[in-house]
Amino acid sequence: ALGNITKIAQSESPFYPLVEYTYDDQGRMTTNHYGAINTIRVLWSDDLVNWTDAGDIPAAGERGAAKWARNSWAPAAACKVVDGILYAGAYNYNRVEMYDIRDPFAPVLLGYAKMNGRGDAMTVATVGGKTYLYAGTGHHAATDLTNGTLDNLDYGQGNGLEIFDVTDPTNPVLLSVSKTDGRFCHSKCDYWGAEVSIHNGKVYVYLLSTYNGVYVFDAPDPAAPVRLAHVTARVDKASSYYNTSSFS
């Protein structure tokens, strides 16, 4: 959602896209912003050349599958599809939700993995016949904190790696939580990611954080990951990229 534009519609030319706008009940154009996003757009293709628009999934709000949520813009930021199951990070609610989207026109919410930190980064992999969710978390260890709640013990304690057994997506099982030594810096530009590497029986998980660097875990046993390394990139104070104003 950009300015007054609601969405980019289909067009024969990518250089001249058709756009749609939002209007109030008197026909006046209204301002659109991320707070109005409550759907997830689904497109699919057999050859990655010809695409079919399956329309919008009502994800949040009164019409959505997650009626308790106001918006769906956070799940759109981190998602992965494995064997017809969509794993979507619900940032504000500290969870990863799982949907059966084998029929993209009729998605079904199967369950969710509740985490001890904001959920916006994750990956999914199959190891030894089981499916595991590797979730990178950040910010706060509670869902009801704002950036100014400094006296709460959960403030800034969300940084970490959490591993779930999601072989049965209707009943995800938390296997381990590995907290890191990072800190909460800024709500709008403090991002993180999670990746997994599987080779010759070895399983390595990488937790990436904008301010805190890259953490490497040895995780052949998902219930007992071992941190191997912490890599940071130093920014010199003389650099234009050095900015302390965003640190909390």
Side-chain angles (χ1 to χ4, degrees):
L2 301 174
N4 294 323
I5 298 175
T6 301
K7 62 185 178 183
I8 305 297
Q10 290 184 344
S11 174
E12 294 182 359
S13 170
F15 301 102
Y16 301 97
L18 300 175
V19 298
E20 297 179 11
Y21 301 89
T22 54
Y23 299 89
D24 62 19
D25 54 5
Q26 297 181 13
R28 296 173 300 190
M29 187 181 297
T30 61
T31 299
N32 189 35
H33 54 87
Y34 76 90
I37 301 175
N38 55 20
T39 62
I40 297 176
R41 194 75 167 189
V42 177
L43 299 99
W44 61 273
S45 172
D46 291 326
D47 54 16
L48 300 182
V49 176
N50 301 293
W51 291 84
T52 298
D53 185 352
D56 292 325
I57 297 176
E62 294 182 359
R63 296 175 52 245
K67 292 180 171 51
W68 44 265
R70 294 187 301 272
N71 305 117
S72 63
W73 59 269
C79 61
K80 189 175 182 67
V81 178
V82 177
D83 295 331
I85 306 299
L86 168 66
Y87 300 84
Y91 166 90
N92 253 9
Y93 296 93
N94 294 28
R95 57 201 264 175
V96 171
E97 299 179 352
M98 284 148 276
Y99 294 84
D100 184 339
I101 60 167
R102 283 172 289 188
D103 180 355
F105 297 94
V108 178
L109 176 63
L110 299 176
Y112 61 85
K114 184 66 176 175
M115 300 178 297
N116 192 241
R118 293 282 168 85
D120 194 28
M122 49 77 194
T123 189
V124 179
T126 299
V127 181
K130 290 192 173 184
T131 304
Y132 297 105
L133 167 69
Y134 304 87
T137 63
H139 292 188
H140 313 301
T143 59
D144 57 350
L145 290 182
T146 62
N147 296 343
T149 316
L150 296 174
D151 57 344
N152 192 305
L153 294 178
D154 287 330
Y155 183 88
Q157 301 303 306
N159 294 312
L161 171 70
E162 302 189 14
I163 303 178
F164 295 82
D165 183 341
V166 292
T167 306
D168 177 3
T170 66
N171 183 34
V173 178
L174 176 63
L175 300 177
S176 61
V177 177
S178 302
K179 289 297 184 181
T180 64
D181 49 3
R183 59 173 174 165
F184 171 65
C185 297
H186 195 282
S187 63
K188 297 187 182 299
C189 53
D190 185 6
Y191 303 117
W192 53 98
E195 297 293 340
V196 62
S197 173
I198 304 172
H199 184 67
N200 291 335
K202 296 183 179 296
V203 181
Y204 296 109
V205 184
Y206 304 87
L207 173 64
L208 305 88
S209 172
T210 301
Y211 290 105
N212 301 312
V214 180
Y215 300 86
V216 184
F217 293 86
D218 184 12
D221 179 0
V226 177
R227 195 170 102 180
L228 300 179
H230 178 204
V231 183
T232 59
R234 180 177 177 271
V235 179
D236 191 271
K237 284 189 176 182
S239 169
S240 60
Y241 294 103
Y242 187 87
N243 179 12
T244 60
S245 63
S246 63
F247 283 68
S248 299

